[in-house]
Amino acid sequence: MPQVATTTTPAELPTEELDWIQMRKDFAGVHAETTKEKMARKISENPLVPIGCAATLTALGFGLWNFRKGRSQMSQYMMRARILAQGFTVIALIIGVGMTYGSKEPAAKK
């Protein structure tokens, strides 16, 4: 026995099913930030973090290269430099978050 599809009128639909339509209208003019835009914004807000990441990566790479070449003394220096660069990066992150948190205005209550 074939089933007959019944159609419902908008007056019969519950409002929960129509909420997405209203949400789409509310956010029609909002620009969604792309990954590149977000990365550029984060780097401009706190440029010390990428510098610290690059320093950490450089010290790690140079330390591993020296370890492979058998220069254990220089490898140890580079591993210590990596720890310092990581500490610098963490401190830069904390300062950046603190500055961002301090500069944001509290949300206005409706």
Side-chain angles (χ1 to χ4, degrees), residues 5-107:
T6 59
T7 59
T8 57
T9 61
E12 296 173 359
L13 290 175
T15 58
E16 293 85 25
E17 291 184 23
L18 298 176
D19 283 345
W20 67 272
I21 296 172
Q22 183 61 39
M23 188 170 61
R24 182 175 280 179
K25 288 178 185 175
D26 291 345
F27 292 107
V30 176
H31 169 70
E33 189 175 37
T34 64
T35 305
K36 279 186 177 181
E37 291 171 342
K38 184 174 183 179
M39 182 179 286
R41 180 177 53 84
K42 293 286 187 180
I43 289 173
S44 67
E45 286 176 359
N46 195 354
L48 294 179
V49 173
I51 292 170
C53 290
T56 302
L57 186 62
T58 302
L60 176 65
F62 195 56
L64 290 174
W65 183 71
N66 279 313
F67 181 74
R68 184 170 183 209
K69 292 292 182 180
R71 299 182 213 148
S72 62
Q73 187 68 28
M74 181 57 87
S75 177
Q76 284 295 315
Y77 286 139
M78 288 296 105
M79 290 301 120
R80 291 180 184 137
R82 176 187 59 88
I83 298 298
L84 290 174
Q86 283 178 324
F88 172 80
T89 305
V90 169
I91 290 171
L93 272 169
I94 293 170
I95 291 172
V97 168
M99 288 174 54
T100 302
Y101 181 73
S103 67
K104 288 191 176 182
E105 297 176 11

